[in-house]
Amino acid sequence: MKTVLIIDDDTSFLDIIDEQLSGREFRIFTAADGNKGLEIAASLVPDLILCDINMPEIDGFEVLKRLRRDTITDGIPVMMLTAVDKKEAVYAAMRYNIIDYIVKPYDINHIRAALEKLKKFRNYFQPPDSSLLKEIISKKEIIPRKRFLIKIGDNYQTVSSNEIAYIS
């Protein structure tokens, strides 16, 4: 079951979207502010984060910045789900490698389609098995990388910046 974290300060919205998405092969977690969202993201490492922009304390751009700075959360796909309908906001969010930008009021089918697309992508590019990485690390010289794909046997594995690449 895929996990989705939704970060938004509007608790009524969180209840509505939780109800709309729950039970569709997705386990939903919610956070009513950016700090709580970051805390949950680091401990849970969800398959996807939906994040608002306009929130008190820290806004969605700061959430994105902190997610991408943390080696635990930098590989989590993020979709912005916000009332901010300005090109500048879209471009600013895209600098943090978001996978989609959805403006409220939203069409739930758009979100479901994006989740299904993500599910198919994640099933194809499974994260590397940690025991496999340990074996690679023990046998090869290592260097850190940002994000890339490696071939192991007949399979391709995604490796993000919190993992290790090797030099043959």
Side-chain angles (χ1 to χ4, degrees), residues 36-70:
K36 186 68 175 169
L38 289 166
E39 182 183 316
I40 294 170
S43 63
L44 180 68
V45 188
D47 295 295
L48 174 71
I49 296 173
L50 297 175
C51 186
D52 190 15
I53 290 177
N54 292 330
M55 296 183 288
E57 296 181 38
I58 63 170
D59 66 14
F61 295 118
E62 184 62 25
V63 170
L64 284 171
K65 182 194 288 186
R66 292 183 190 183
L67 286 169
R68 296 306 180 234
R69 269 194 314 209
D70 187 331

Side-chain angles (χ1 to χ4, degrees), residues 71-84:
T71 57
I72 294 170
T73 60
D74 77 332
I76 301 172
V78 177
M79 291 171 52
M80 301 309 290
L81 181 55
T82 181
V84 179

